Structure formats: structure tokens, C-alpha cells
Amino acid sequence: MYYGYYPPYWQSRHQALVPSPPARMLTVMGNGRLPVQPDIAIILLEVLTEGESVTVAQDENARIMDQVIQALINLEVPRDDIQTTNFAINPRYDFVDGVQVFRGYEVRNEITVKISPIAQAGRIIDTAVQNGVNRVSNIRFSVEDGEVHYQEALSLALSNAIGKAEAIANAMQLDLDRIPVSIIEKEQPQPIRTFSVAAQGLSTPIEPGEMIVSAEVMVKFQY
């Protein structure tokens, strides 16, 4: 609820009011970076098949993908951690002497696999490739308690902004109000790394390293 202030009737008629000077604002950007060790890997696996007819290409794709999924389940990957993310059927054409020639159809089936612990990622990739996966397009590393880490980074970003504002105020001898007028949170992208498919029979090394959870805020102060 908003409560406005209205001067008494006699004051408004007999006493001139001096307007308050407009508020002056100081805007700074605050950044917070928190190093964490990833404990989840999300991998995109793709099976691509081709055939002269849709039925042939689709049946072959379904057979291979069922084989891949069963192999992952045998490695104790929970069924709920395996999800279909894309399925597409497209015609294939070649150009011969400037003429478009129909060559058949291709079927793409993509699944994402959530892996925890990350130490199992290399074994899972190798098993998927050995059972028919033609492409491992990317791996995204994350943490189970991502929101908790992000809130810590957000707190660091706000402290960084307050420190910057105080430094500017001290340098310019400003009477700064440390309580922010507004705080705008900036969206941060998720880190993604890409890997190529390893040759069959080799162990695919997956080293997530250290992941940086970052936050950025734009903060306005009054002085």
C-alpha cells in the first residue's frame, strides 16, 4: 500500500514548499564466480540410418537404438535418465549433371543420457558406439545442487557490486546509501563442451575439470 504525504491546508496556502533535489543514481555491475566440481554429465547420442525406403531406414534405426538403450540399461543407467530429444525422417538427394536425383531416406534418432557419477561417462560412450551410435555431439557438465551454488555466486556478485560502489563513492567523496535501489539479475549461459566419437575398442577419456558457476547483477545506488 502506498501512503502519500500531503501538507496541512494552512501550510500549503501560507508557506512556500521547497522542492527536494532529484535523487542521483550510481549504477555498477557486480560479478560472482564460484569454482565447483561437476558431478553430472549429460550426453547427446545419435543413431543415423539410411535406406531406399522409409520403412527400411526406420526399422534399422529402431533396431539399433533399442540395442543401444538396452546396453546402457545393462550398465545400470536408470531408464528415466535416458530420454529421446529428437526424431526426424528426411529424403536424400544427389545432384548429377545439374539434375536432382532421389537417393532414399535418412532417419535420425537422438537421445540424451544423464550420467552420475561422471567416472562412468567414458565407458557409457564406448558402449553406445560399439552398439551402433554414430555420433556423440556434445557433453554438458552440471552439478546436482546447481541452484545452491548459483545462489552463492549471486551473493558474491552482489558483494562485488557493493564494493565497487563504495570505491567510487570514496574516490568522489559521495554520500552513498549502501542499500540498493534496484538489483537486476543477468542470465548466465550453461557451459557446454563438445567431443568426437572414439574408435571402437578404445576407452574414451572424459575429464570435466573444474566448472565455474557465475552470476552477474546490475545494481543501482542512491547518493
Side-chain angles (χ1 to χ4, degrees), residues 16 18 24 32 46 49 52 54 103 105-106 111 116 129 134 146 149 165 168 193:
V18 179
R24 293 175 294 181
E46 179 182 307
T49 54
E52 295 182 356
V54 172
R103 293 298 188 189
Y105 294 90
E106 68 175 23
I111 60 172
S116 180
V129 171
N134 338 78
H149 294 299
I168 294 173
R193 293 179 60 189

Side-chain angles (χ1 to χ4, degrees), residues 143-197:
V143 288
E144 195 72 52
D145 297 325
E147 185 61 26
V148 173
H149 294 299
Y150 178 72
Q151 289 177 6
E152 292 183 41
L154 200 58
S155 178
L156 293 174
L158 183 57
S159 297
N160 180 248
I162 293 174
K164 288 181 179 179
E166 290 178 337
I168 294 173
N170 290 336
M172 301 186 66
Q173 298 183 347
L174 305 177
D175 186 15
L176 182 72
D177 185 352
R178 293 184 75 257
I179 300 177
V181 174
S182 70
I183 302 172
I184 299 177
E185 178 185 354
K186 301 292 184 178
E187 185 176 353
Q188 297 295 314
Q190 292 288 337
I192 294 179
R193 293 179 60 189
T194 300
F195 293 81
S196 59
V197 176

Side-chain angles (χ1 to χ4, degrees), residues 11-176:
Q11 181 178 350
S12 62
R13 291 194 51 161
H14 302 289
Q15 181 178 351
L17 298 179
V18 179
S20 301
R24 293 175 294 181
M25 298 292 176
L26 173 64
T27 302
V28 295
M29 301 298 297
N31 297 279
R33 291 170 59 84
L34 184 70
V36 298
Q37 187 69 34
D39 53 15
I40 295 174
I42 299 175
I43 304 178
L44 182 63
L45 306 175
E46 179 182 307
V47 172
L48 172 64
T49 54
E50 300 175 350
E52 295 182 356
S53 69
V54 172
T55 302
V56 171
Q58 190 170 357
D59 288 350
E60 178 69 3
N61 194 289
R63 183 190 66 79
I64 296 174
M65 184 55 80
D66 286 345
Q67 179 176 293
V68 170
I69 291 175
Q70 188 56 54
L72 297 181
I73 292 175
N74 292 341
L75 291 178
E76 299 184 351
V77 176
R79 187 63 182 84
D80 290 343
D81 290 343
I82 305 172
Q83 297 182 352
T84 298
T85 54
N86 184 42
F87 182 84
I89 301 175
N90 297 297
R92 296 172 53 245
Y93 296 94
D94 287 338
F95 283 89
V96 180
D97 297 329
V99 178
Q100 191 178 50
V101 179
F102 176 72
R103 293 298 188 189
Y105 294 90
E106 68 175 23
V107 177
R108 290 180 183 272
N109 194 353
E110 295 178 351
I111 60 172
T112 56
V113 182
K114 177 182 174 182
I115 301 172
S116 180
I118 292 180
Q120 296 294 324
R123 183 184 177 195
I124 287 173
I125 290 176
D126 292 341
T127 299
V129 171
Q130 291 163 9
N131 282 274
V133 163
N134 338 78
R135 186 183 179 207
V136 180
S137 58
N138 67 66
I139 298 180
R140 179 167 62 89
F141 295 108
S142 185
V143 288
E144 195 72 52
D145 297 325
E147 185 61 26
V148 173
H149 294 299
Y150 178 72
Q151 289 177 6
E152 292 183 41
L154 200 58
S155 178
L156 293 174
L158 183 57
S159 297
N160 180 248
I162 293 174
K164 288 181 179 179
E166 290 178 337
I168 294 173
N170 290 336
M172 301 186 66
Q173 298 183 347
L174 305 177
D175 186 15
L176 182 72

